[in-house]
Amino acid sequence: QVQLVESGGGLVQPGGSLRLSCAASGSIFSINAMGWYRQAPGKQRELVARITSGGSTNYADSVKGRFTISGFHADNTVYLQMDSLKPEDTAVYYCNADISALLRPREDYWGQGTQVTVSS
């Protein structure tokens, strides 16, 4: 079994910062990539940021320059540093991991989501 546990969400004012964490645990052989997605009410889930095992990153245009994804190689934990938050960043943020688990084929796993609300 593989589990992704997210933390760090909450309520912040516009211009504030949050750091999300996602820890992967279980029968993991290797992690190929980890990332963050978000879904706002009435909208489709969208990619926020992603990082591969080789260190390549990509970001949604809406968060470039404000969000930074890092981590996971040392402790199977990925972080999303979110700065200069805007009300439109309000969404449920989901951790995603592309994992080769023990005795399992490579597949995506998802966290339960953590709420980020940006409001004054």
Side-chain angles (χ1 to χ4, degrees):
Q1 296 180 350
V2 174
Q3 291 182 297
L4 272 54
V5 179
E6 300 141 323
S7 63
L11 174 64
V12 297
Q13 294 185 342
S17 297
L18 285 173
R19 190 177 77 154
L20 305 183
S21 300
C22 174
S25 62
S27 301
I28 298 172
F29 180 76
S30 64
I31 299 178
N32 308 110
M34 295 186 74
W36 291 93
Y37 293 72
R38 69 185 181 188
Q39 187 167 26
K43 297 184 178 180
Q44 296 184 28
R45 186 175 299 186
E46 64 174 348
L47 172 70
V48 177
R50 186 172 183 267
I51 184 168
T52 71
S53 61
S56 298
T57 59
N58 61 294
Y59 297 88
D61 288 341
S62 59
V63 307
K64 287 180 179 177
R66 299 189 297 119
F67 292 8
T68 304
I69 188 169
S70 63
F72 98 71
H73 296 289
D75 56 3
N76 291 341
T77 301
V78 67
Y79 303 93
L80 184 68
Q81 179 66 42
M82 305 186 294
D83 298 320
S84 301
L85 283 162
K86 304 175 181 179
E88 51 263 42
D89 294 318
T90 296
V92 177
Y93 284 69
Y94 296 91
C95 180
N96 169 266
D98 178 359
I99 291 176
S100 296
L102 294 176
L103 303 179
R104 297 280 295 178
R106 176 176 173 176
E107 63 182 293
D108 281 346
Y109 294 84
W110 292 90
Q112 79 285 353
T114 184
Q115 177 70 47
V116 172
T117 302
V118 185
S119 177
S120 60

